[in-house]
Amino acid sequence: MSRQQLAVQRARKSFQTGKTKPLESRIHQLRNLLRFVTERRKDIAEAVKKDLSKSEHGTELFETLGVEGEIKLAIEKLAEWAAPRPVEKNLLTISDEVFVHPEPLGVVLIIGAWNYPWAITLQPLVGAIAAGNAAVIKPSEVCCHSAKVMEELLPRYLDKDLYPVVTGGVPETQELLRQRFDHIFYTGSSAVGKLVMEAAARNLTPVTLELGGKSPCYIDKNCDITVACRRITWGKFVNCGQTCIAPDYVLCEPSIQNRVQEEIKNCIKEFYTDDPKTFEDYGRIINKRHFKRIMALMEGSTVVVGGDSDESQCYIDILKDFSQN
C-alpha cells in the first residue's frame, strides 16, 4: 500500500471517530495552526526566499498575514457558522421542529500551488478544519523548500492523522487522486484542473477549482494615467509577476501609449531601484522551465523596459532599456 493510500486511510479512520465534531476540538486545531504560522515565521520566510527569492516582508504581507486573518475570523465566527439554521415550515412540516444542521463533509484533499505556496495551501485548510473535516495536504513540489518545511513542521502542531502532509511530484499527486475524497480543492492550471475534475468525477466528488485566466487592463485617456499605471505596475510585478490575477497586458489608445510606457517605467524604477537584481523585494522566476518560457515570449518583440537575464538565478531584468518604441 502506498504512503498516499495510508495517509488517506488514516485520515478517514481518524475522522470516523467523531473527534472533529466538537467545536472545541476544531478551535484547538485552528489555534495550533495559528501558533504554527506565528512561531515558524522565520522558517516559512526562509523557505519562500529559497523558492521564489521573496523577501521576508513580502512573505509576511502576501503569505502569512492573510492566513492569520482567516484563522482568527474562523475562530470568532465558528459557533455562528456551525449553528443550526431555522427553515420556514410548510403544511407537511408545520408540527415539526425544522432546521438545517451543518455537518462536515469528511476527508478533503487540498492541492496547493507554487506561486503562493503557503497562502494558497493553508487558507483552504482553515476552512476544512473549521467545518470539521479531515484534510490531506499536498503542497506543490515546485516550491520544494516550502513543501519540505510544511511536511516537517506542520505535523508538530496539528493532529498528524487528521491533517497529514503528503509531498511528491506528479506520480504522488496522481496516486492521491485515485483515492476517494469527499471534496477536492485545487489551485493551478486549467490543464491539471481537467485531470482533477476527471478523477473526482469517478467518485462523484465535489471540487473547488481555482484556475488560471487572463487579466487585461484598459487605460482610458480621460482617467488619471499616473495612478492607473502605478497600480498596474504594482499588481504586475509583485511576486515577479507570478500571480494568477496579475495584469497580462495593457490596452490603451495610441495617443497615450508613450506616456503609459514612461509612467510604468518610472514606477518600476521607484519600486525596484536602478538595480533590481540586488533589490530584496524583486523576486525570481520559480524555475528554469518557466524562465525559458517567459524569455521565449520576448522573441520577435520590441522590449520597451527590461530584457537582460541570468538563467543561473532565474532572473529577468525589468529596468534596463533594451530597445525603445
Side-chain angles (χ1 to χ4, degrees):
M1 185 177 293
S2 69
R3 62 188 179 95
Q4 293 82 21
Q5 288 176 296
L6 286 171
V8 177
Q9 284 192 8
R10 283 199 307 271
R12 190 166 296 282
K13 185 177 180 180
S14 187
F15 171 77
Q16 289 172 344
T17 66
K19 66 165 113 176
T20 64
K21 283 290 188 74
L23 299 192
E24 296 79 11
S25 174
R26 305 182 200 179
I27 290 174
H28 176 68
Q29 294 297 324
L30 287 169
R31 285 177 175 156
N32 283 348
L33 183 59
L34 181 61
R35 192 162 56 87
F36 165 73
V37 174
T38 55
E39 291 181 0
R40 298 294 181 171
R41 196 180 303 276
K42 289 287 185 183
D43 298 287
I44 293 172
E46 288 174 6
V48 178
K49 181 70 175 177
K50 292 175 183 176
D51 286 326
L52 289 154
S53 195
K54 195 179 293 185
S55 68
E56 185 174 341
H57 175 71
T59 296
E60 182 174 6
L61 183 61
F62 297 108
E63 299 273 8
T64 57
L65 274 179
V67 173
E68 291 174 8
E70 292 279 345
I71 297 171
K72 292 173 182 177
L73 178 66
I75 291 173
E76 177 189 350
K77 297 287 188 179
L78 185 55
E80 177 185 334
W81 293 343
R85 299 176 179 86
V87 177
E88 186 177 348
K89 296 182 180 183
N90 56 36
L91 287 175
L92 294 176
T93 60
I94 195 167
S95 61
D96 299 324
E97 184 180 354
V98 186
F99 58 89
V100 174
H101 191 284
E103 287 285 330
L105 279 173
V107 180
V108 305
L109 172 62
I110 299 170
I111 305 175
W114 57 261
N115 57 337
Y116 292 94
W118 292 92
I120 289 177
T121 308
L122 294 187
Q123 286 185 350
L125 178 61
V126 174
I129 294 173
N133 298 296
V136 177
I137 304 150
K138 171 58 180 69
S140 172
E141 72 279 6
V142 179
C143 272
C144 57
H145 298 95
S146 292
K148 184 178 180 182
V149 170
M150 201 176 296
E151 179 185 35
E152 291 180 353
L153 299 183
L154 192 58
R156 300 184 189 181
Y157 292 81
L158 297 182
D159 187 303
K160 293 187 286 292
D161 292 327
L162 281 173
Y163 312 108
V165 179
V166 178
T167 58
V170 174
E172 288 77 13
T173 304
Q174 290 174 334
E175 180 62 28
L176 274 176
L177 289 171
R178 293 188 188 100
Q179 313 309 309
R180 184 180 71 82
F181 290 95
D182 299 291
H183 197 93
I184 298 176
F185 190 104
Y186 169 76
T187 301
S189 69
S190 56
V192 177
K194 291 176 182 177
L195 299 177
V196 172
M197 189 75 173
E198 180 182 358
R202 297 190 187 103
N203 294 307
L204 299 181
T205 301
V207 297
T208 300
L209 302 177
E210 198 275 292
L211 308 178
K214 288 297 174 186
S215 303
C217 290
Y218 174 72
I219 303 178
D220 188 85
K221 64 179 181 180
N222 296 316
C223 75
D224 190 324
I225 296 175
T226 300
V227 171
C229 290
R230 186 177 182 85
R231 292 172 177 172
I232 289 170
T233 304
W234 178 86
K236 180 59 181 176
F237 291 103
V238 158
N239 201 27
C240 211
Q242 299 167 115
T243 306
C244 57
I245 55 172
D248 287 283
Y249 53 91
V250 176
L251 300 172
C252 68
E253 294 187 21
S255 61
I256 63 170
Q257 180 178 341
N258 289 337
R259 185 183 169 192
V260 167
Q261 291 177 356
E262 196 61 29
E263 291 282 359
I264 291 177
K265 179 180 175 180
N266 292 337
C267 288
I268 291 172
K269 183 175 181 179
E270 178 188 350
F271 293 169
Y272 300 106
T273 76
D274 288 320
D275 188 10
K277 191 173 186 179
T278 61
F279 189 59
E280 68 170 359
D281 283 327
Y282 184 66
R284 299 294 185 268
I285 302 304
I286 183 61
N287 57 27
K288 290 188 177 181
R289 180 175 72 86
H290 283 292
F291 170 87
K292 291 176 180 178
R293 176 183 61 82
I294 294 170
M295 291 300 296
L297 294 175
M298 292 192 285
E299 293 179 4
S301 301
T302 299
V303 180
V304 176
V305 180
D308 288 349
S309 62
D310 184 345
E311 185 174 345
S312 67
Q313 291 190 27
C314 289
Y315 168 80
I316 299 177
D317 177 55
I318 55 168
L319 190 59
K320 184 178 178 182
D321 281 349
F322 188 77
S323 59
Q324 182 75 38
N325 272 344

